[in-house]
Each structure stands twice: as structure tokens, then as C-alpha cells.
Amino acid sequence: MNTPWVGPITLVLWSVGWYVVHATHGGGSWHFFAFGARVFSDLDDGTQAGLHVYAEHPVLQIGPFALGVAWALGEVSGGHGLVAAQLVGAALGAGVVLLVRRIAHQLRAARGDAPDPRFDTPLLVGSACFVPVWLYAAVDSTHLDDVLALAFGVAALTLALSRRPVWAGLALAVAVDSKPWALPFVVVLLVLPSVRTRALAVSVAALGVAAAWLPFFIADPHTSRALHYTIANGPLSGLRLLDVVSARTPPWDRPLQTLVGIALGGAAIWRGRASGVLLVVMASRLALDPSANRYYTAGLAAGALLWDVTGSRRRWPWWSLTVLLALHAARWVPALDPFHAFALVAFAVAAAISVLRGSWGGWDRWGGWDRWVGSRQLRPKSRSGFAQGTSATLSTMTTLATNQRRLMLNKVPEVTVYFWVIKILCTTVGESFADYINSTLGFGLGKTTIVFSAALVAVLVVQFRLRQYVPSVYWLAVVLISVVGTLITDILTDGVGVPLWVSTAVFAAALAGVFAIWYAKERTLSIHSIVTTPREAFYWLTVLVTFALGTAAGDWTLDLTGWSAGASVLLPLGLIAAVFAAWKLGAGPVLCFWLAYILTRPLGANIGDFLASPGDEGGAGLGTLGTSVLFLGTILAVVVYLSVTHKDRIERNAVRDERVAEPVGDRQA
């Protein structure tokens, strides 16, 4: 079964779910960045702020680049620096995954390997393991400096492998300027093919580090206090296992971490295993670190993902699974705390052995990479700059992809009155059922989101495996996606404190982006052509964003108007009527369909609020449970009726190839 989009879309949904979970109580360390950015930007204070920030506040173990980014995010976000930093951190995690994928493709080409359909298994599963660990550091703890250092460290390796010494050196400098512990990453510059390019990259990196740090030492020599700042030697640290029992960080510990990291990373490069550098550097650092903070494992997760995808011969990403389960998730099981120090040291030893021992099929030191780059340079190029034959190759690949696309019967129902009735009912259930589970039963936003996100993923897996529209599965997915969409907005508003107008604008931009990508790839937005897996993936992603957007826009409108539960039904109902009139007068059917689809979200939510609200507040007094049971029963009855009568089935004919390229407007939505 050729379903190339199922994995990435599932990974996106998995990531969104974990982002929401971590954002609920996120920002645990953001106060350091908020304070540091404020002091860092106070250039008028010539004694304790500005360039004196590290001399007077050595507790701020944050690089100047990270402080500058924290200050900039606070300025451009209008005071919502925490949310902006969390979004940036999550985006950096996505960038790490993409860079790992790029490195993997480059190394496969360097080795001359044929395409392997099993290649995506370690990438997708490893990324699924990487996401919750990374988002804990980026969103829950909000350690902007660590995620910046890790992301730019991976970028430096990517650029070095691509023979871009200047950019590789600059990326390394940014990593060190974000967090000084990134200094051992300098060994990735040894991947460059000649002494000249390595010297150039090291020079650029040195200049970048000096430009960021020297002004502080020149302005205030007491900046060196930051170098001697110590933290408590915790009971779970690897140092305890090595019989280091001092109460604070030993003076030799930080230099030893740097030297061991450089030595192991250099050995990995010498052995031709550049993609293992991040893993051995981070593993040795954590094994020798006096603390055992949970967010530390983000570096291990990034290194494990890179090694699983590019270095390990195993089909399953066992290193990523080990980091997720044994080193990260285990921290939430107090009974396992006595084993954490041993696990850190054992993992570091095992990682070093795995990276440094025997042949793993990579390139022979720098030779294999040189041969790959050389083969690219020897290929004749056309006037446009592309190697000759590229156009023909792309044409052939496009033809093969078109012929091999998974054609199936349409996976969505016909747009009839039944469609809109069930859609509004599902929307009402999403509002009332989410409120019931979250508030009445006391699950809380985080737990409720995890439960319904997991259920949604399971149902979507079934939906994607079907080859035609099945009412029960389709509408169950809609019910669950309505709940998840509602919860996403609720968490951003109630848990994170994002203003509703910001959520509305963000979701509107996200919807526009999804539509743009969907149309660019498929040349249609019509739901009458959901006959391939990519189109179905775009369809469900669009549905999720429309529910989140409808929730944010509807709640924002209610805040602005202050209408009662009953009166609030009138506005979306009137807008839907206007859309219907525009469609009758000749407006584009696809545009009208999606506008109505968005507006049914606030309509259903307001109906749910009206039915659930007490009578003294202008509602019907059914409560959230009564409303949910009533509408779920109605949905079940209608779905059973449609399953028997097939009145919402689009014509059951084989889809011809021409239908795949159907342009917008050829069919009505």
C-alpha cells in the first residue's frame, strides 16, 4: 500500500498533541530568559546591566545570542515572549528532523546506496520518539539556549558535509554563543575535505565566538565569574556513580566534559562517523554532569535520531527508543530514580562503542564524501545551472509517481443536508463533550488532550486504510477531530494565555498555508476529488485547523459582543445564510463550502453552549453531559440511516486518471 503522506501527517498530529500537552504548564525556566533579556538590553545601566550582565548575574548560564533572541521575541510578540519562544523552539525541532533527513539522503548518495523503502521507518519512528523529548525542553522547560545550540550544532554538521566552510563555522559560532557547552561541536568542522577549508571554518567560528563574548570580558573583567559558577551535585548525577560526592560542581568537571566531548567527537570523525558526533558528545556530557535535569535528554534525543537514521544498520531506531523510555520517561517514575545515574553512564559507554567500533557502512573517512561531491562537480551542467539530465529525471519521477498513486473511491460523503446536519451535531459534541471531560470529570486540559489525540490518531489510521467512504469511521473521526480542535484552542487560551485574537490570526494563517500547499501540489481543493492518500491527508489537516480556527474566532466574537448563549447562535447562522446566498448567486462552490465549513464550528459550539447553560443564564439547562448524550445519539441515528440507505455516497465509479488532475471549479463542492 503506497501511503507516503500518512506517516508525515501522523507525525505532525503527534507533534501538535505533544506541543499542546507541554504548553499547558510550560515555561518552567522562562523567568531566567525574561530577566536576562531585560538586564541584557538595559544599556543605560553601566554597573549591573548591559555588558555587565554576566559579571553581576553569573547564574545566567545563557549565551548572548540566546539572550538576544529572547529579548527580540519579547519585543516582536508584544509581551508574549514565552509563547513566541515555545513556537521557535518547536520549529527548531522540526528543523532538526529535516536536517537529519537531509544528512541521511546525502550519506546514502555518498555510499552509492540504492533507494530503500525501509529508509523512512527509522526516520518516522525515531522522530516520533524525538518529538516529546525535544518539546519538553523547548516548550515545557522553554530552554531556548539549549535548543538553539542543538539545532545550530546539527546545522553546522550539515553545512560541513555540504562543503560550506564559512556557513558551517558561522552555525557553530551561533551554537556556542547560545550555550557554551556546544564548544565540543567544533570537531564537526573536521569533516571538511582540506586543511584550507577547515582552517577557514575554524577562523569564522572563532571570530563569531569572540565577537559575541569578548565585549563582556573587555567591559567587565569580572565576567569570568560566570565561568566559575557551580551547581549542586545532584543525587541522580553520573558523577555520584563515579564516586564524586562533592556538594557542588568540581572545578575540573566542566573542562573535563569539554575535553572528553572533543576527544570522542574527534575519534568519531577519524573513524568516518561524523553523524555520531552529536550522540557521543551529548552522552559524555550528561554522564559527567553534576545535575540530571529532565530537559537535558533533548540533546541525547537529537543525537540518537541522527545516529539511528544515518549510522545504525538496524531497521528500528533503538537508540531513540532507549532515550525516550529509559532516560526521559523513566524520570517520571520515582522508583527508577536510583538507576538513573547508572543508565546515564551505561548509555554513554554504549554510545561510544557503537559509534567508534567496526564498519557501519558509512563513507571511508572523508574519501567517500569526496567521491560523491566530485561526481556532482564532474557532471555537465545546463545553462540554468542544473546538471544535464535533471529535467528528464524529474519528469520520469513525476510520471512514475502519477502512475503509482493510490487511486480509490472518494473517501468523503456527498455534500447534502445530512452532511451539514451531522457536521453541526459533531461540532456541538466537540464543545460540550470536551467541557464535560475537562471540567465536570476534572481530567484537566492536558490529560483530556492526550486521551482524545490518541483516539483520533487510531481512528485516522483506520480511515486511511479504507479505500472508500465508510460513514461510521468517517464521522467518528470528525467527532474526535472536533474535540481535539476545541482542546487545542482552549489550551492556548486558558493554559498558555494566548489572546483569542492572536489564536484566530495564527489559525487563519495556518489554514491559508494548508490551502496553498494543497492547491500547489494537487491543483484542486474540491472534496469531490479525495481519491488519493495525499489529498485525504490534506483534507483531514484542513478539517483540524478549521475546527481550531472556528473555536478561536467564535470565542473571540463572544468576548467582543458579550452576547448571551441564545443570541450568540444568530451571528454564525446569519453568516452561513449569507454564504449560501452567495453560492446561489454564482460564487465559487469550493470557497463557499470551506467558508460554511468554518462557520459551522462557532454555530455548533454556540448551540452547545445554549443547550448546556443554566436557565438563569439564558440557556436550556441540559448541562454538558445531557447535551453530549443527546447529540451523540442523534449522530448515531443519522449515521446508521446513511449506512443503510447510502444517500450520502458519491457516485461509486472507478476514478479515471483525468479526475486526479481536476482543477478547482470543475466540480461543485
Side-chain angles (χ1 to χ4, degrees):
M1 185 183 300
N2 183 21
T3 55
W5 286 93
V6 173
I9 294 299
T10 303
L11 183 61
V12 169
L13 294 176
W14 172 259
S15 304
V16 170
W18 276 107
Y19 180 93
V20 171
V21 169
H22 287 307
T24 304
H25 303 291
S29 298
W30 180 247
H31 59 283
F32 288 112
F33 293 88
F35 172 76
R38 184 172 65 253
V39 176
F40 177 72
S41 61
D42 187 7
L43 300 179
D44 295 329
D45 187 344
T47 58
Q48 294 187 337
L51 295 178
H52 302 271
V53 59
Y54 295 112
E56 298 299 323
H57 308 282
V59 68
L60 295 175
Q61 297 287 293
I62 304 169
F65 182 83
L67 283 180
V69 171
W71 172 81
L73 291 176
E75 292 295 314
V76 301
S77 63
H80 297 285
L82 170 59
V83 177
Q86 290 172 327
L87 292 173
V88 169
L92 289 172
V96 168
V97 173
L98 294 176
L99 288 174
V100 168
R101 184 175 184 273
R102 177 179 177 181
I103 292 172
H105 281 297
Q106 289 175 327
L107 295 185
R108 290 183 65 83
R111 298 194 298 262
D113 290 349
D116 186 352
R118 300 175 300 173
F119 165 74
D120 284 335
T121 298
L123 178 61
L124 289 174
V125 179
S127 298
C129 297
F130 166 81
V131 163
V133 184
W134 180 273
L135 290 181
Y136 180 83
V139 179
D140 198 309
S141 296
T142 322
H143 269 272
L144 182 63
D145 50 350
D146 289 86
V147 296
L148 282 169
L150 290 168
F152 278 97
V154 177
L157 174 61
T158 308
L159 293 165
L161 291 173
S162 300
R163 284 189 165 186
R164 298 182 179 179
V166 174
W167 289 106
L170 185 60
L172 178 64
V174 173
V176 177
D177 294 340
S178 298
K179 197 74 170 180
W181 58 246
L183 183 60
F185 291 163
V186 69
V187 297
V188 303
L189 301 182
L190 296 176
V191 171
L192 292 164
S194 66
V195 174
R196 186 186 65 82
T197 55
R198 294 172 208 159
L200 175 60
V202 171
S203 299
V204 171
L207 288 174
V209 172
W213 288 98
L214 272 183
F216 296 94
F217 286 91
I218 294 174
D220 194 335
H222 291 102
T223 296
S224 59
R225 293 174 181 171
L227 300 176
H228 305 292
Y229 182 78
T230 62
I231 60 177
N233 184 14
L236 304 185
S237 73
L239 291 178
R240 294 285 183 174
L241 188 66
L242 300 175
D243 203 29
V244 179
V245 295
S246 58
R248 307 288 294 183
T249 309
W252 48 263
D253 186 60
R254 298 304 188 193
L256 181 63
Q257 284 179 305
T258 302
L259 292 175
V260 171
I262 291 175
L264 290 175
I269 297 293
W270 183 78
R271 294 285 292 168
R273 295 160 179 80
S275 59
V277 168
L278 185 62
L279 180 61
V280 295
V281 168
M282 297 308 302
S284 62
R285 173 180 173 259
L286 265 64
L288 296 172
D289 202 277
S291 185
N293 292 316
R294 291 168 174 170
Y295 71 87
Y296 283 0
T297 49
L300 292 179
L305 175 64
L306 181 58
W307 183 244
D308 277 328
V309 176
T310 64
S312 175
R313 284 180 173 270
R314 301 185 182 277
R315 182 174 182 180
W316 288 94
W318 293 111
W319 291 97
S320 296
L321 288 166
T322 301
V323 171
L324 174 63
L325 299 177
L327 298 179
H328 185 72
R331 291 300 313 281
W332 277 264
V333 183
L336 298 178
D337 283 349
F339 305 98
H340 187 69
F342 175 81
L344 286 174
V345 175
F347 184 89
V349 173
I353 293 174
S354 175
V355 171
L356 300 180
R357 72 173 175 84
S359 174
W360 57 277
W363 77 95
D364 180 18
R365 303 206 181 167
W366 300 284
W369 188 256
D370 287 352
R371 287 194 296 273
W372 178 74
V373 175
S375 67
R376 292 186 66 192
Q377 292 174 340
L378 291 174
R379 291 180 64 188
K381 294 187 176 181
S382 64
R383 293 178 62 185
S384 63
F386 289 95
Q388 292 180 7
T390 300
S391 177
T393 302
L394 291 175
S395 176
T396 302
M397 293 172 61
T398 303
T399 302
L400 290 174
T402 302
N403 292 337
Q404 294 175 359
R405 282 176 115 173
R406 180 189 177 207
L407 295 180
M408 48 200 170
L409 298 178
N410 207 7
K411 299 288 293 291
V412 299
E414 181 65 87
V415 182
T416 64
V417 65
Y418 301 106
F419 177 92
W420 293 114
V421 168
I422 302 180
K423 170 63 169 61
I424 295 173
L425 293 174
C426 290
T427 301
T428 305
V429 168
E431 179 76 11
S432 57
F433 199 48
D435 289 343
Y436 175 72
I437 298 295
N438 174 34
S439 302
T440 306
L441 297 184
F443 264 48
L445 285 174
K447 293 180 180 178
T448 305
T449 303
I450 292 176
V451 171
F452 281 99
S453 296
L456 173 61
V457 170
V459 173
L460 284 180
V461 169
V462 176
Q463 168 69 19
F464 274 95
R465 291 182 66 85
L466 297 172
R467 293 187 62 83
Q468 63 182 12
Y469 163 65
V470 177
S472 58
V473 178
Y474 174 87
W475 287 112
L476 178 59
V478 173
V479 169
L480 291 172
I481 213 168
S482 70
V483 177
V484 173
T486 300
L487 290 170
I488 290 174
T489 301
D490 288 346
I491 283 183
L492 290 176
T493 303
D494 301 330
V496 183
V498 178
L500 285 169
W501 70 267
V502 174
S503 299
T504 303
V506 170
F507 287 132
L511 182 62
V514 172
F515 277 144
I517 298 173
W518 183 358
Y519 184 77
K521 287 185 172 292
E522 303 295 331
R523 310 309 297 175
T524 180
L525 301 177
S526 172
I527 69 165
H528 284 84
S529 60
I530 309 299
V531 293
T532 64
T533 301
R535 290 186 183 183
E536 186 178 10
F538 281 121
Y539 173 79
W540 286 112
L541 183 59
T542 302
V543 170
L544 176 62
V545 178
T546 58
F547 273 110
L549 173 60
T551 302
D555 291 348
W556 183 33
T557 302
L558 290 181
D559 284 352
L560 291 176
T561 60
W563 289 350
S564 65
S568 64
V569 176
L570 299 178
L571 179 59
L573 188 63
L575 292 174
I576 291 173
V579 171
F580 178 77
W583 173 64
K584 283 294 187 180
L585 293 175
V590 173
L591 174 62
C592 291
F593 168 80
W594 285 113
L595 286 175
Y597 201 95
I598 295 171
L599 290 170
T600 53
R601 172 61 188 82
L603 174 62
N606 293 344
I607 292 175
D609 288 340
F610 169 71
L611 294 175
S613 298
D616 56 359
E617 296 180 8
L622 294 180
T624 54
L625 179 59
T627 303
S628 299
V629 172
L630 173 64
F631 278 68
L632 281 173
T634 307
I635 292 172
L636 179 61
V638 177
V639 169
V640 170
Y641 172 76
L642 294 175
S643 299
V644 173
T645 62
H646 305 298
K647 287 194 173 183
D648 62 341
R649 293 283 182 91
I650 295 176
E651 188 73 24
R652 294 172 57 91
N653 292 326
V655 181
R656 297 163 56 179
D657 288 348
E658 290 80 8
R659 179 78 57 84
V660 176
E662 177 187 42
V664 174
D666 283 0
R667 291 179 57 84
Q668 292 185 351

